[in-house]
Amino acid sequence: MIKDIIENEDYKDLVSKQVKEVMDFLLLNDKEFSITGNFDAITFEPELPDVIKTQLPKYPLFILSNYTYSTIALNEEYITFEAGFGNENFGSIVKVPLQSVFQVILDESILFLNPVATVEKFNKNRKSNSMNVFKNNPNNKKFN
């Protein structure tokens, strides 16, 4: 089953290496690009204000160009960059684990797609919350 593959640690490591190699290639060739990533795994320093954070989708798009492109740092586990958010252009350093990079996009075309970014570990909070809502319904007590 696909779930057995995309949740396998060896496969996650393989995909992380592939994501890094693709981004290394683009950086080496001085190509600006974009990424989408699983929001649940992304961290911001400083933390984004709630008014901005709640506006971001599950897989936000980050356009890595101009100043943001010049701030990219890439290692074996993460890509980091500085970006501005909201009308105030609130500055934050974005840290995205490589295995949570869902897409690498070049010229509005998907260059790389990573199914590992959709694994359950990033969705635990959402899943447990919906399960609690389900269990709290008196009609569902028989499923406990």
Side-chain angles (χ1 to χ4, degrees), residues 92-112:
S92 185
I93 296 174
V94 183
K95 184 176 183 181
V96 184
L98 296 180
Q99 65 180 240
S100 71
V101 172
F102 184 49
Q103 299 173 343
V104 178
I105 302 161
L106 183 64
D107 298 330
E108 298 182 17
S109 296
I110 298 170
L111 182 63
F112 186 85

Side-chain angles (χ1 to χ4, degrees), residues 12-30:
K12 288 179 190 179
D13 291 343
L14 172 68
V15 170
S16 291
K17 289 175 188 169
Q18 291 172 330
V19 169
K20 183 181 183 303
E21 287 176 2
V22 168
M23 289 192 278
D24 274 338
F25 179 84
L26 294 172
L27 292 168
L28 183 65
N29 288 283
D30 201 29

Side-chain angles (χ1 to χ4, degrees), residues 131 134-137 140-144:
M131 184 57 92
F134 177 81
K135 287 181 178 179
N136 287 334
N137 182 332
N140 296 330
K141 292 292 182 196
K142 62 186 172 194
F143 298 110
N144 285 340

